[in-house]
Amino acid sequence: MSLTSVRASGPRRVVLVKHALPRLEAGVAARHWRLAAEGERQARQLARELRQLLSPRPFRIVSSPESKATRTAEIVAAELGVEVTVQLGLEELDRP
């Protein structure tokens, strides 16, 4: 499914969220990091807060294919009862 196939009626709100705290792994590129235990907790807290703040409820969460981002998105999506769409092109840029 492409992003252009999103429902087109009425105004839309876009909420940008950075992934939760990753587990830093020396010698591993940042794009391959997973969430730390604290990151999992942060994502659950974010999900609860978004559930209270967002009305109407979002109908989709779009995520980077990076594991730290997809895991954050999965946790939030489960709380909100929505699907996650993984979108190529949202990957982290290489760092020096």
Side-chain angles (χ1 to χ4, degrees), residues 38-81:
E38 175 63 14
E40 295 262 344
R41 189 200 65 72
Q42 288 174 340
R44 287 189 299 275
Q45 179 62 36
L46 171 66
R48 288 188 294 271
E49 291 176 17
L50 288 175
R51 186 172 188 75
Q52 297 297 315
L53 292 173
L54 297 180
S55 180
R57 184 184 75 192
F59 63 92
R60 177 178 303 142
I61 293 175
V62 179
S63 174
S64 156
E66 296 180 14
S67 61
K68 60 187 177 268
T70 55
R71 184 64 186 134
T72 301
E74 289 166 352
I75 292 168
V76 173
E79 176 72 24
L80 298 178

Side-chain angles (χ1 to χ4, degrees), residues 17-39:
V17 175
K18 184 178 177 183
H19 58 77
L21 183 70
R23 183 177 61 227
L24 307 181
E25 299 179 55
V28 176
R31 66 180 167 270
H32 297 297
W33 293 343
R34 298 178 180 272
L35 285 187
E38 175 63 14

Side-chain angles (χ1 to χ4, degrees), residues 8-13 56:
S9 63
R12 295 286 173 217
R13 180 187 323 181

